[in-house]
Amino acid sequence: LRIDWLAAELAGFLVTEARLRMQTLLAAAVTQAGNSCFITDLEGRICWSNAAFTRLTGYTAIEVLGHNPRFLASGRQGLRYYQNLWNTLRAGQVWNSETIDRDRLGNHYTIRQTISPIRVGEQISHYLSVHEDISQQREVQRLMDLETRIDPQSGLLNAASFEQSLQAACD
């Protein structure tokens, strides 16, 4: 009887120890990830961010703690964009899109953003936001678009050329 009790206690200890090792591994993975990550509570307040987030935005983890990530908003996304984001997340689904944000110095950058609900049991408790900086890819595409200037199907200026012409006319 004593041996059965000891075996059960040991088995419980090993399960707990394995769970703690996995939690430690997962925490290290998101902390050290090359992509910018942050976690918010249900109201959208940042409760954790990684070093890649600091490198991308210029804001430290302590500075953003408790703040809504709207301070990163560039103004390029409209109300409908954010309504879709929140409707998707509150429905318990993963949301992803390209987003233009603004860093600490006011510079715009483009990210491919994925936000996932985090569940504890059946309830959503937090949201994980992961960002891939695609600014350089978008700039290369813009420069390639400028080289072609005219859309072959419509015969009109392409978007990049039109934007450049409009900016030149406004200056």
Side-chain angles (χ1 to χ4, degrees), residues 74-96:
S74 66
R76 299 265 182 106
Q77 286 79 225
L79 180 62
R80 198 172 336 162
Y81 176 90
Y82 291 105
Q83 286 174 336
N84 175 266
L85 180 155
W86 281 108
N87 289 341
T88 302
L89 291 176
R90 288 187 178 123
Q93 300 172 340
V94 173
W95 178 89
N96 58 61

Side-chain angles (χ1 to χ4, degrees), residues 51 63 95 97 104 106 108 135 147 149 159:
E63 289 175 304
W95 178 89
S97 184
R104 178 182 207 111
H108 289 170
S135 301
E147 287 179 9
R149 293 200 54 86

Side-chain angles (χ1 to χ4, degrees), residues 48-161:
W48 175 86
S49 63
N50 69 357
F53 174 85
T54 298
R55 286 191 300 275
L56 178 65
T57 67
Y59 293 99
T60 67
I62 296 203
E63 289 175 304
V64 301
L65 192 63
H67 292 278
N68 187 295
R70 74 174 55 98
F71 66 88
L72 298 170
S74 66
R76 299 265 182 106
Q77 286 79 225
L79 180 62
R80 198 172 336 162
Y81 176 90
Y82 291 105
Q83 286 174 336
N84 175 266
L85 180 155
W86 281 108
N87 289 341
T88 302
L89 291 176
R90 288 187 178 123
Q93 300 172 340
V94 173
W95 178 89
N96 58 61
S97 184
E98 286 187 12
T99 304
I100 299 173
D101 275 344
R102 186 172 37 106
D103 68 16
R104 178 182 207 111
L105 299 176
N107 300 312
H108 289 170
Y109 58 92
T110 305
I111 55 173
R112 183 171 294 118
Q113 180 177 25
T114 300
I115 305 176
S116 305
I118 300 172
R119 289 181 175 78
V120 176
E122 294 295 316
Q123 298 287 4
I124 296 171
S125 65
H126 294 82
Y127 300 106
L128 170 65
S129 184
V130 179
H131 308 157
E132 177 185 2
D133 184 359
I134 59 170
S135 301
Q136 288 181 339
Q137 295 168 0
R138 288 295 164 252
E139 181 61 15
V140 166
Q141 183 63 49
R142 188 185 74 76
L143 293 173
M144 286 176 30
D145 288 349
L146 282 172
E147 287 179 9
T148 57
R149 293 200 54 86
I150 304 292
D151 182 301
Q153 290 180 332
S154 68
L156 300 172
L157 287 175
N158 63 33
S161 297

